[in-house]
Amino acid sequence: MFEVCTRPLDDGMILDLSGSLGREGGEAILRAVQDQSELPRRLVLNFTRVGPISTVGLGGVLWAVRLVTRAGGRTAAYGLNDHFRKVCHVMGLTQYLRLCLDETTALE
């Protein structure tokens, strides 16, 4: 089971993610962004409690990130292990998503 918990920011939100990130997780992340009355100006994804990640799950992350960035917002993520940081680079996610080591850096 995959869970998405939302924490508000002044200009956006943090999504605390937990579980295995597959198709359902990717869809849950995208839904969490789309369900906002306005797209957030800033989106921070917390991957510290995420287990295995599939490319299908990362596809959902990519769509959520692209929605925010196309609307002029900023995105960041932290808590990804080294393997998935590399996968994000290969998939081109780092064009839209700033990868950080911790929440403090992601919020800067």
Side-chain angles (χ1 to χ4, degrees), residues 4-101:
V4 178
C5 296
T6 304
R7 286 188 282 150
L9 296 170
D10 289 341
D11 56 351
M13 63 184 178
I14 298 172
L15 296 183
D16 292 311
L17 314 172
S18 62
S20 297
L21 178 52
R23 179 185 317 266
E24 290 178 15
E27 291 170 355
I29 292 167
L30 182 56
R31 208 171 27 254
V33 171
Q34 290 175 325
D35 285 350
Q36 302 301 306
S37 57
E38 290 183 26
L39 287 175
R41 299 288 304 151
R42 185 164 48 149
L43 174 65
V44 176
L45 302 167
N46 173 3
F47 282 90
T48 57
R49 294 183 24 217
V50 173
I53 301 173
S54 75
T55 53
V56 175
L58 278 179
V61 172
L62 176 61
W63 280 108
V65 166
R66 288 182 75 193
L67 278 175
V68 173
T69 57
R70 282 183 179 169
R74 297 175 302 152
T75 61
Y78 67 96
L80 283 163
N81 65 35
D82 287 338
H83 172 72
F84 284 103
R85 290 173 70 86
K86 289 176 187 172
V87 170
C88 285
H89 284 285
V90 170
M91 287 182 66
L93 253 173
T94 54
Q95 252 183 322
Y96 310 99
L97 180 66
R98 186 170 61 110
L99 301 181
C100 304
L101 294 177

